[in-house]
Amino acid sequence: MTNFPVADIRADFPILAEKIRNKPLVYLDNAASCQKPNAVIDSISHLYRHDYANIHRGVHTLSVRSTDKFEAARGKVRAFINAASHKEIIFVRGATEAVNLIAQTFGRANIKAGDEIVITAMEHHSNIVPWQMLCEQTGAVLRVAPMNVQGELIYEAFEALLNDKTRLVAVVHMSNALGTINPVQNIIAAAHAKGIPVMLDGAQAIPHLAVDVQALDCDFYVFSGHKLYGPSGIGVLYGKQALLEAMPPYQGGGDMIKTVSFEKSTYAGLPHKFEAGTPNIADVVGLGAAIDYLNGIGMAAIADYEAELLAYATEQAQQINGLRIIGEAAEKGAILSFVLDRIHPHDIGTMLDSLGIAIRAGHHCAMPVMDFYQIPATARASFAMYNTKEEIDVLMAGIKGLIEAFG
Ligand code: PMP
């Protein structure tokens, strides 16, 4: 393994010292949510202890301090994904809310009966259901680009779906169920060649890959804070300024207006137009702290280290008789989804928990992926920058023990 400072990183995450059922915690459920470093926990605690007040409206000192920290976090997000302007960073509750926002504002304004929205066969429910709802409301049609048995997008089939009725391509950057990393650069170029905007669901990609929205040239990019070592209940919608300017607001209320009268209200400029009501102030600050923390390590170093973890885990898993890896894309992030002969994934999860190992068993909010493989669920070990090769050894020993116990 490289000289990635994993021991130092682990020491920054207090929960990793927990014992679960008298065993050291082996936390491999990072694709559901990542744990939080002291820097994030302390930033939230510090805000509430020293700087907290409602933002934007106040002239008093605490309100100014709170506003400054909130807006500084927006700046950190902007820099982290290299957006051109802070106006392009909208705080939302998470990736789910961001997709719903796009569907109900951009979608309602631009997508009509007979128009088409293209997604892929490996989407999370949050990048399926909001589009189905929009289709029900408008009479638009959802088109699904297929994948192959490795869990890779069949690119030619995707391209063939693009036509003069396509109004949006909405694609997962990295699949949370399979780990597949989609060829988003090609997808965006192909869609743009036909004048079609592209939304990337970056909820799973953002903790694993360096993301540059200007280099990608995506029109929207969405992600959640909790998968980026930040708090839950906070997420980001990036949109190109011109698109956001043209979109109607999502929710109405305080903070998103310029003027209000009973006859007519006018709306605030970006980004506030899309941030109605008192936001999740402390968790925005916490997300900013997570980004500072990650910048201190470097996304490229994290990606390299996680690639080593995945390669090691894959190699070990391939040697286990009766284990089948689900999702073997050539371009893949640090996720190992698998099934075992004769042992249901939920039993795998429960039995590994008795060894202190946290994995996830289920459909991972991607039921169509399970249908594709004709399985009810997978067991999923998902790795983060604080995991180690030794933890993978513990996982593999646990799996082998299970297989022996079940005969
Ligand atoms: N898309 C993907 C690929 C995800 O992995 C997730 C979270 N598991 C989501 C969307 C939804 O994120 P959230 O539940 O945080 O809104």
Side-chain angles (χ1 to χ4, degrees), residues 31-32 94-97 124 126 172 174-176 201 203-204 224 226-227:
T96 302
E97 188 174 47
H124 187 279
S126 65
V172 69
M174 171 173 163
S175 157
N176 66 307
D201 170 1
Q204 191 59 57
S224 299
H226 69 94
K227 296 182 49 154

Side-chain angles (χ1 to χ4, degrees), residues 33-311:
S33 203
C34 284
Q35 299 298 347
K36 320 303 172 197
N38 283 319
V40 170
I41 300 166
D42 294 347
S43 74
I44 295 169
S45 164
H46 189 279
L47 181 87
Y48 280 131
R49 286 173 192 281
H50 301 289
D51 300 321
Y52 179 77
N54 208 336
I55 56 168
H56 292 149
R57 303 181 265 259
V59 290
H60 64 80
T61 302
L62 283 185
S63 180
V64 172
R65 271 199 224 157
S66 208
T67 305
D68 286 351
K69 287 202 157 183
F70 182 87
E71 290 303 330
R74 195 190 305 276
K76 290 172 191 186
V77 173
R78 185 210 63 73
F80 188 63
I81 60 171
N82 193 33
S85 163
H86 73 282
K87 293 180 180 174
E88 299 178 320
I89 305 299
I90 314 293
F91 287 121
V92 289
R93 278 193 297 136
T96 302
E97 188 174 47
V99 179
N100 279 278
L101 189 160
I102 298 167
Q104 291 302 315
T105 61
F106 173 85
R108 290 295 279 263
N110 295 291
I111 300 176
K112 305 277 177 288
D115 288 346
E116 297 182 359
I117 301 155
V118 174
I119 61 172
T120 76
M122 69 186 88
E123 301 304 325
H124 187 279
H125 296 163
S126 65
N127 196 32
I128 302 173
V129 184
W131 304 117
Q132 288 174 327
M133 290 163 65
L134 179 68
C135 288
E136 279 171 21
Q137 291 159 347
T138 60
V141 181
L142 194 60
R143 296 271 181 236
V144 183
M147 63 180 181
N148 63 23
V149 77
Q150 279 78 41
E152 293 165 324
L153 179 69
I154 303 174
Y155 185 77
E156 302 70 36
F158 159 78
E159 244 190 327
L161 284 179
L162 304 180
N163 62 51
D164 57 11
K165 287 183 276 180
T166 316
R167 293 286 166 269
L168 183 72
V169 168
V171 170
V172 69
H173 192 173
M174 171 173 163
S175 157
N176 66 307
L178 304 169
T180 308
I181 297 172
N182 273 316
V184 290
Q185 207 93 51
N186 294 346
I187 288 172
I188 292 165
H192 283 181
K194 293 193 154 72
I196 305 162
V198 179
M199 186 212 92
L200 295 182
D201 170 1
Q204 191 59 57
I206 196 83
H208 301 295
L209 308 171
V211 171
D212 180 332
V213 291
Q214 291 190 81
L216 286 169
D217 197 27
C218 54
D219 300 278
F220 299 106
Y221 198 96
V222 307
F223 62 94
S224 299
H226 69 94
K227 296 182 49 154
L228 191 63
Y229 307 95
S232 56
I234 190 68
V236 172
L237 159 61
Y238 159 81
K240 282 184 182 164
Q241 188 170 340
L243 279 170
L244 293 175
E245 301 274 14
M247 280 156 52
Y250 182 45
Q251 296 180 325
D255 274 354
M256 55 73 73
I257 49 85
K258 203 181 282 167
T259 62
V260 175
S261 73
F262 288 118
E263 288 68 44
K264 184 170 172 51
S265 300
T266 58
Y267 306 129
L270 294 173
H272 307 296
K273 180 171 89 174
F274 292 106
E275 294 180 353
T278 301
N280 187 349
I281 302 165
D283 291 324
V284 164
V285 172
L287 177 59
I291 287 173
D292 285 343
Y293 183 80
L294 287 164
N295 285 338
I297 301 165
M299 292 310 292
I302 291 170
D304 286 350
Y305 177 69
E306 290 178 345
E308 287 182 41
L309 286 181
L310 179 67

